[in-house]
Amino acid sequence: MSEVAERLAQLQARVAAACARAGRPVESVTLVAVSKLKPAALIREAYEAGQRDFGENYAQELRDKAAELAGLEGLRWHAIGPLQTNKVKYVAKAAHAFHALERLEVAQELSKRRASAPLPCYAEVNLGGEQSKSGLAPEALGPFVEAVRALPGLRLEGLMALPPPTEEPAQARGYFQRLRELAQEHGLAGLSMGTTHDFELAIEEGATLVRVGTAIFGERA
């Protein structure tokens, strides 16, 4: 068994344990393996170990890896980073889902360029009001959700957040609870939240997708 396969097995066990604590079926959580800046060879190793969902932050890297690994049946690409309108074409063509929707002009361009089935999207929320991070303020969600729902090429599945880093589990849990409440307010079922450091808390608070890279592929250079 490869090192990636071993890490993936350990991670899947932790996901299953978190689901059990929350009284949820393990199938209710999708593990997105964040493969940004990692070589295609490592993605192949994870694929051979059973992983099918992979997350990329950069549109052009997603485009290139999707082309290189096009022969891997059932592989699903998740675009998880901020997107500029001039890079929309890559995500519209290659992505199974987009997790960082925060600008209406990007949503409109994605809708226009999406030629296949509507693209599942998650609106990004800036829960901590951090200047350094992208995402919508919670109070701006209503009009944005309404506008995106009207676009034919997209399907708004839920919300995404990358909360401020904290060593306090109670504080992290509070952010995840807040995202869940916001999703419920707007009639959305999907919650893309939780990374290597806090995915178990996120699952306990309702995450339907967790985005984990380091725990699978190791630290990035």
Side-chain angles (χ1 to χ4, degrees), residues 17-187:
C19 286
R21 288 193 298 274
R24 302 175 57 189
V26 72
E27 297 80 17
S28 67
V29 179
T30 297
L31 171 62
V32 178
V34 179
S35 48
K36 70 172 183 179
L37 304 179
K38 294 294 182 179
L42 290 184
I43 296 174
R44 285 184 183 275
E45 285 185 27
Y47 178 90
E48 287 165 6
Q51 180 64 25
R52 291 296 179 268
D53 294 271
F54 294 87
E56 291 289 335
N57 282 62
Y58 309 115
Q60 285 160 295
E61 187 176 0
L62 186 154
R63 173 200 64 190
D64 296 344
K65 286 178 176 175
E68 185 174 354
L69 300 171
L72 299 184
E73 187 177 350
L75 188 154
R76 294 177 290 270
W77 293 107
H78 296 250
I80 62 174
L83 187 60
Q84 301 299 319
T85 50
N86 63 338
K87 307 286 176 60
V88 159
K89 56 189 175 185
Y90 306 132
V91 169
K93 180 180 179 182
H96 166 76
F98 178 45
H99 292 237
L101 190 62
E102 54 149 352
R103 295 167 52 212
L104 188 56
E105 56 265 40
V106 168
Q108 291 166 336
E109 191 70 13
L110 274 171
S111 176
K112 186 169 69 176
R113 289 183 173 273
R114 182 70 169 182
S116 52
L119 179 67
C121 290
Y122 297 80
E124 183 174 4
V125 184
N126 189 336
L127 290 174
E130 296 169 279
Q131 296 293 322
S132 60
K133 283 186 184 171
S134 52
L136 294 149
E139 56 271 19
L141 262 180
F144 185 78
V145 165
E146 190 175 333
V148 172
R149 279 178 167 151
L151 296 172
L154 306 183
R155 189 173 73 242
L156 191 62
E157 294 280 347
L159 303 180
M160 182 275 259
L162 189 64
T166 175
E167 298 299 320
E168 295 295 328
Q171 192 173 7
R173 193 182 292 277
Y175 285 122
F176 296 141
Q177 290 170 345
R178 177 63 177 138
L179 195 69
R180 185 184 70 229
E181 290 164 1
L182 285 168
Q184 290 170 345
E185 285 174 24
H186 296 285

